[in-house]
Amino acid sequence: SPPDPDRALRRARVLSGQVVSCSGEDHADHAVAATESPLAWTRRAGDVFGPGDWFLVEQPLVDAFAQCTRDDQWIHRAGADTPFGGPIAHGFLTLSLLPVLCKHVMPTHAWATSEINCGFNKMRFLSPVKVGARVRATVLVTAAELLDSKNPSAGTQTTSKVTIEIEGTTKPALVAEWVTRQYGCLER
């Protein structure tokens, strides 16, 4: 039969449902104060946010990620006998959890109309995440710069060092230098 072009979209929806359902945490009491302006945000360079709430990495999430990405290596399957003592999550699955892990760690920007992911300057997987493990994020803002010095309300570019910790281990799952942009209102 011909390939189903909507399959990846359906799998992504399943995966996003798994992310929401796996955490089960109530974040209402973990709110970080919002920043009031792009200039105020640039003054936060050097600040550390977190650690955040623990997030449980369960087999259904790993299975959904494997189906969505078509990365079905044996080390990710339930019951796998691996050198790590059982199945492990995909490294890219752990990386893809950054938005959900950082959501309640980082402050919101009251002035921002949108925020985009620009990518990573550096990223290293340091330790595998076993299925059933819990992970959480800590974020160090290494740089926050205005996009336009003549128009500070245009927004900022932020570089953050994000560390994903695995509960009960000393070595992190990954460390990433993540670049994002926060856009404010454009004055004319």
Side-chain angles (χ1 to χ4, degrees):
S1 70
D4 180 357
D6 295 325
R7 182 172 187 234
L9 181 58
R10 285 194 307 275
R11 293 309 308 154
R13 286 185 184 133
V14 168
L15 181 59
S16 68
Q18 291 290 330
V19 169
V20 171
S21 67
C22 286
S23 176
E25 302 278 346
D26 178 13
H27 302 282
D29 59 345
H30 297 290
V32 179
T35 61
E36 295 304 319
S37 70
L39 196 54
W41 178 239
T42 63
R43 295 185 192 116
R44 302 296 300 265
D47 285 3
V48 175
F49 299 95
D53 293 329
W54 290 110
F55 181 95
L56 180 61
V57 178
E58 295 181 290
Q59 190 67 52
L61 177 64
V62 174
D63 294 343
F65 188 84
Q67 264 192 319
C68 184
T69 60
R70 298 180 185 195
D71 181 359
D72 189 29
Q73 291 187 47
W74 66 274
I75 59 174
H76 307 302
R77 293 186 202 133
D81 182 19
T82 72
F84 310 108
I88 61 169
H90 303 73
F92 284 116
L93 168 57
T94 306
L95 182 66
S96 74
L97 293 175
L98 263 59
V100 73
L101 294 174
C102 294
K103 182 176 183 176
H104 299 285
V105 172
M106 296 294 289
T108 58
H109 305 294
W111 50 269
T113 58
S114 64
E115 184 167 12
I116 65 163
N117 173 18
C118 295
F120 299 92
N121 290 334
K122 300 176 190 175
M123 195 284 304
R124 292 289 181 266
F125 299 113
L126 301 173
S127 187
V129 176
K130 293 180 185 177
V131 171
R134 296 192 326 159
V135 296
R136 67 181 177 183
T138 300
V139 180
L140 165 64
V141 176
T142 58
E145 301 164 339
L146 294 174
L147 293 175
D148 182 350
S149 61
K150 293 178 183 174
N151 180 12
S153 62
T156 57
Q157 178 166 300
T158 304
T159 305
S160 301
K161 178 184 176 187
V162 183
T163 302
I164 304 301
E165 170 188 2
I166 306 168
E167 187 176 37
T169 67
T170 56
K171 195 173 189 180
L174 69 85
V175 176
E177 188 175 285
W178 192 9
V179 181
T180 58
R181 283 192 170 188
Q182 301 74 35
Y183 291 100
C185 62
L186 298 174
E187 295 177 2
R188 295 180 191 247

